[in-house]
Amino acid sequence: MSSPGISTPKRSKTPKSPITTEAEREQALRDYKLTIEYKHLKQHSPSGVYLLPSLTSLRTFHGVIFLRRGLYANGIFKFTMELPQGYNDIDTWPQITFQGWVYSPHVNENGELDLKSAYPQWDPHRHYLVTVLTYLKKIFYMKSFGDDAVANVDARELSRSDPKEYRRMVSKCVKESQRGLYMNEPGSILVFREENECHVALRMLMREKFQDPNEVVSRSLVLECVEEAQRRVELDQKKNGGDESNET
């Protein structure tokens, strides 16, 4: 019983966690592990391979690979990576689907990369996002294919029976990847746009300033080049506009 004139302070309620079930706790842990994986990936992604998370789903990523040598040299292949809800458990393979046509014994007619042949059992203690991206890059540099290349058997057999025709088909898919560069997938934050005057001016300016390929270029120097390129374009536009008015 409280004394007269003395109010008893109310006990503050402990905020309840939005995670109330064991299943929700396990899913939250998977989500946390995935964010750690992606953070690690930013420092260890294979060269020429880029991956960005979707704005709408934690388990959807948009990527692109630039090939600089080999049969697929100058190819630019965009892809989507989807992770199952239970990713980070045993046998929860990621799914990689290329946006355009990829002629490879390891990619099926729907554009899906065959990961299960490479990793018959997905082990979350040994296999990670970087594992998948490393394998994705590897298939473009393979010179021969074993019987485990079953995603496109016709391509595998052609590489054995008629290497010249196989190379022609690969070259055809490389050219198609270049033509489809500016066809951006709806919802993807990985967007390619055709270059404009500023892009051309910036490229020429950077070639002038940074001729040593081993030189480490700081962010501030790049931004200075961007500003200088914009000034050059504006001056050219004013000059061209003045010339046109004089002619009229």
Side-chain angles (χ1 to χ4, degrees):
M1 183 175 180
S2 58
S3 302
I6 300 178
S7 60
T8 305
K10 295 182 179 179
R11 294 182 180 179
S12 59
K13 295 183 179 180
T14 304
K16 293 183 178 180
S17 170
I19 302 174
T20 57
T21 67
E22 184 65 27
E24 289 175 333
R25 282 191 287 272
E26 290 178 357
Q27 190 60 53
L29 182 59
R30 292 191 193 101
D31 293 347
Y32 176 72
K33 288 180 178 179
L34 179 55
T35 60
I36 296 299
E37 265 198 68
Y38 184 72
K39 183 178 180 181
H40 177 269
L41 182 65
K42 289 193 291 185
Q43 282 80 38
H44 298 88
S45 181
S47 62
V49 184
Y50 301 89
L51 193 71
L52 294 174
S54 167
L55 296 176
T56 58
S57 172
L58 181 64
R59 284 172 168 70
T60 300
F61 296 84
H62 301 281
V64 62
I65 178 170
F66 297 88
L67 284 309
R68 299 182 176 91
R69 56 186 176 82
L71 287 181
Y72 294 88
N74 299 317
I76 306 170
F77 298 100
K78 292 180 280 187
F79 61 89
T80 300
M81 179 190 288
E82 297 280 355
L83 304 179
Q85 196 68 19
Y87 179 76
N88 280 319
D89 283 348
I90 295 289
D91 291 346
T92 52
W93 293 268
Q95 182 183 51
I96 288 184
T97 306
F98 289 97
Q99 185 174 327
W101 175 49
V102 176
Y103 190 74
S104 166
H106 291 287
V107 179
N108 68 22
E109 60 182 6
N110 297 319
E112 186 177 343
L113 175 64
D114 180 17
L115 289 173
K116 291 186 178 180
S117 294
Y119 308 102
Q121 183 182 55
W122 184 264
D123 183 351
H125 299 294
R126 297 172 52 222
H127 304 141
Y128 308 96
L129 296 182
V130 68
T131 310
V132 176
L133 296 187
T134 300
Y135 178 70
L136 178 146
K137 181 176 179 178
K138 181 181 177 181
I139 70 163
F140 291 104
Y141 293 101
M142 290 179 175
K143 296 181 179 179
S144 60
F145 304 95
D147 293 339
D148 60 332
V150 295
N152 187 336
V153 175
D154 290 341
R156 183 192 71 193
E157 294 306 311
L158 187 63
S159 71
R160 297 172 178 177
S161 62
D162 193 344
K164 183 177 180 180
E165 177 62 15
Y166 175 77
R167 289 194 296 270
R168 190 189 71 80
M169 293 293 289
V170 168
S171 178
K172 185 178 178 181
C173 92
V174 167
K175 291 177 182 177
E176 187 167 315
S177 77
Q178 295 168 345
R179 287 194 296 268
L181 178 61
Y182 302 112
M183 297 173 62
N184 298 298
E185 186 177 356
S188 172
I189 61 174
L190 192 65
V191 176
F192 291 86
R193 294 187 176 91
E194 296 188 59
E195 65 179 13
N196 55 34
E197 293 180 7
C198 283
H199 296 148
V200 176
L202 177 60
R203 184 170 62 248
M204 294 177 64
L205 184 61
M206 293 186 71
R207 284 176 178 171
E208 293 173 11
K209 290 182 174 291
F210 312 121
Q211 298 181 7
D212 182 1
N214 297 317
E215 180 182 359
V216 178
V217 181
S218 67
R219 182 172 181 271
S220 60
L221 288 176
V222 173
L223 292 175
E224 288 177 10
C225 286
V226 171
E227 293 174 357
E228 177 62 23
Q230 290 174 334
R231 284 194 293 268
R232 289 188 182 187
V233 170
E234 289 171 359
L235 288 173
D236 287 342
Q237 290 174 342
K238 288 180 181 178
K239 182 180 178 181
N240 292 335
D243 291 343
E244 290 176 1
S245 62
N246 291 334
E247 290 176 2
T248 56

